[in-house]
Amino acid sequence: MSLKKLLLLPISLVFSAAGCAGIGPNATYYMGTTSFHYDPSYNAYMVKLNGHEIGGGFGGGMNTSPVKFGPQVITWEESNSDKLHRAKNQVTLTKEDLKGVKYLAVHLYPDDTVEVTTSNNWPNPTEKGLKWQERIRKNGTE
């Protein structure tokens, strides 16, 4: 191997490792992911963030998933039908949203809108979701 190649090898390794570490425009962050579903009329499953399945079960299941900043595509299925849901609102994550955090939670609301939260501690349900869930239980409808 030539001296030039030997000198360039460490530099190329640093840049390839940087992409895995969350540096650059295509940075991928690997973090614990889960979901919270607030509609008691069905169980959500196959919750996906940009085509990658994440955990579920009201935060009881966790996966390690790749997450990139930018617009997110969030989909999920119903347990009691063949219905495929897609988030009605657009969630966009910034590098600051993902930098230095361990967990990401997707919150699926009964009107098919979603919210994404990040944290360094195990994720919790949102106040908005818990209020919505309680209202549905009391009224028996959305």
Side-chain angles (χ1 to χ4, degrees):
M1 189 180 284
S2 73
L3 181 61
K4 184 177 179 180
K5 287 183 181 178
L6 282 174
L7 291 174
L8 291 177
L9 181 62
I11 294 170
S12 66
L13 289 175
V14 167
F15 283 117
S16 66
C20 297
I23 300 171
N26 295 319
T28 300
Y29 297 82
Y30 287 87
M31 56 183 54
T33 56
T34 191
S35 63
F36 292 83
H37 176 247
Y38 301 96
D39 186 344
S41 70
Y42 71 92
N43 290 319
Y45 77 103
M46 294 297 290
V47 180
K48 293 183 179 182
L49 179 71
N50 299 322
H52 296 279
E53 190 173 354
I54 65 173
F58 213 69
M62 183 77 61
N63 279 354
T64 299
S65 304
V67 180
K68 293 185 178 194
F69 58 88
Q72 306 298 303
V73 176
I74 301 167
T75 60
W76 65 98
E77 296 181 36
E78 284 189 20
S79 59
N80 57 358
S81 76
D82 293 331
K83 186 172 181 182
L84 175 66
H85 296 259
R86 184 181 173 114
K88 289 182 179 178
N89 60 314
Q90 179 65 67
V91 174
T92 301
L93 297 173
T94 66
K95 190 172 186 175
E96 290 73 35
D97 293 329
L98 302 176
K99 188 176 181 182
V101 296
K102 297 178 185 176
Y103 301 106
L104 178 141
V106 174
H107 301 268
L108 311 169
Y109 298 120
D111 64 354
D112 284 354
T113 61
V114 299
E115 184 176 8
V116 173
T117 59
T118 58
S119 66
N120 280 314
N121 300 310
W122 193 268
N124 292 310
T126 62
E127 187 175 326
K128 174 184 175 179
L130 292 175
K131 285 180 181 177
W132 203 331
Q133 191 174 52
E134 185 60 29
R135 189 180 85 220
I136 291 171
R137 283 189 183 137
K138 283 182 181 178
N139 297 334
T141 63
E142 289 185 41

